[in-house]
Amino acid sequence: GKLGSFTNVPPPPQPQPDGTMVAQPTRGIAKVHSVSVTDGMNGHAATLKDITKGGDREALRSFCASREAAGADDSDTWAFLRMLFEDDGRRKLLAYLGYEPPAPEGPSTATAAAGAAA
């Protein structure tokens, strides 16, 4: 298979006779790389494409979980992606990254805060 990559490379500023530096136009670079593709990769790509067309969050979670369970080097990546499709994904992502998610605000929180202020 082929993989394309695109990059914008800003050239260094050019000095002018009066000592000022003038920025030059950005130059775009496109590269085409050859990538070895196995039948398994083609099958997974086709499955993922079909699942994403439907937008079924449960199917996306299941696909990511199956790839995570495969135990490959990228299982952490699939675990992270799976969390994106969870019902409470934001809180799970924050916890995964080591942050304490904020407590949900609701009637009980607002009532407790009002009672403490009185």
Side-chain angles (χ1 to χ4, degrees):
K2 300 288 182 185
L3 174 68
S5 65
F6 305 92
T7 307
N8 287 326
V9 180
Q14 296 295 317
Q16 298 299 305
D18 64 358
T20 60
M21 303 294 272
V22 176
Q24 300 299 308
T26 301
R27 195 170 51 120
I29 297 175
K31 295 181 182 179
V32 177
H33 308 272
S34 293
V35 180
S36 67
V37 179
T38 65
D39 290 337
M41 290 173 71
N42 285 335
H44 291 309
T47 302
L48 184 58
K49 183 178 177 182
D50 291 342
I51 291 171
T52 55
K53 279 184 183 177
D56 180 10
R57 291 171 62 94
E58 181 58 39
L60 288 164
R61 277 193 297 265
S62 295
F63 180 80
C64 291
S66 70
R67 298 302 306 143
E68 177 186 359
D73 292 339
D74 59 354
S75 62
D76 287 338
T77 303
W78 287 108
F80 192 81
L81 288 172
R82 179 182 43 79
M83 283 183 253
L84 294 174
F85 303 111
E86 297 286 343
D87 292 332
D88 196 12
R90 182 174 183 267
R91 290 189 187 285
K92 290 180 181 180
L93 285 172
L94 287 172
Y96 183 80
L97 295 171
Y99 294 98
E100 183 64 34
E105 290 190 26
S108 61
T109 306
T111 305

